[in-house]
Amino acid sequence: MGEAIRIIGIDPGLRRTGWGIIESLGNSLRFVASGTVRSDDKASLATRLCQLHDGLAEVLHQAMPHEAAVEQTFVNKDATATLKLGQARGIAMLVPARAGLVVAEYAPNAVKKAVIGVGHGEKKQIHMMVKVLMPKAVFETDDAADALAIAICHAHHRQSVAYRMAALAG
């Protein structure tokens, strides 16, 4: 049947970057760990980005995932906030890429659709379905729960992502 694939889902944010790790084997999903990397909101932007980088790098070093998935940034009305979120997202993509992982990206609506069945829904619905799909899942923050949802989304879509990557490389 093969080996379990360890997936890290990352929900990027400048204050809090959530992470969630699952294992996927066939149609079975197993919760491994989740958490949140925080940055000091009184520190400079560069320092905060370093804090996110170092925290995520430590998570990857400890958990040794095989694949990574990051939520795509949505554009909001505040250009400055969008830019800062984009920089945090860059860190969320850089750390697993530097660790040699393929990094998939998913739109927020794709994550919701994969987890709750529709492209629009509230955080409560996502968190409830994460617990239904993985009853042993533990998450202390919304960011960690969202990261687990991103990992679940990737588990459902990873075959099509692998085929697209292979087509681009070949």
Side-chain angles (χ1 to χ4, degrees), residues 98-161:
R98 294 281 299 171
L101 304 182
V102 172
V103 181
E105 301 174 64
Y106 297 97
N109 287 350
V111 173
K112 290 175 184 173
K113 189 166 187 171
V115 175
I116 62 175
V118 293
H120 299 282
E122 295 184 26
K123 285 196 180 288
K124 284 187 209 175
Q125 290 175 292
I126 295 168
H127 300 175
M128 184 187 72
M129 283 306 297
V130 166
K131 289 295 277 182
V132 167
L133 294 169
M134 292 182 300
K136 294 182 181 178
V138 177
F139 41 86
E140 294 180 8
T141 65
D142 287 347
D143 307 290
D146 291 346
L148 286 168
I150 295 161
I152 291 167
C153 177
H154 181 66
H156 292 311
H157 291 94
R158 61 182 298 276
Q159 285 303 107
S160 61
V161 169

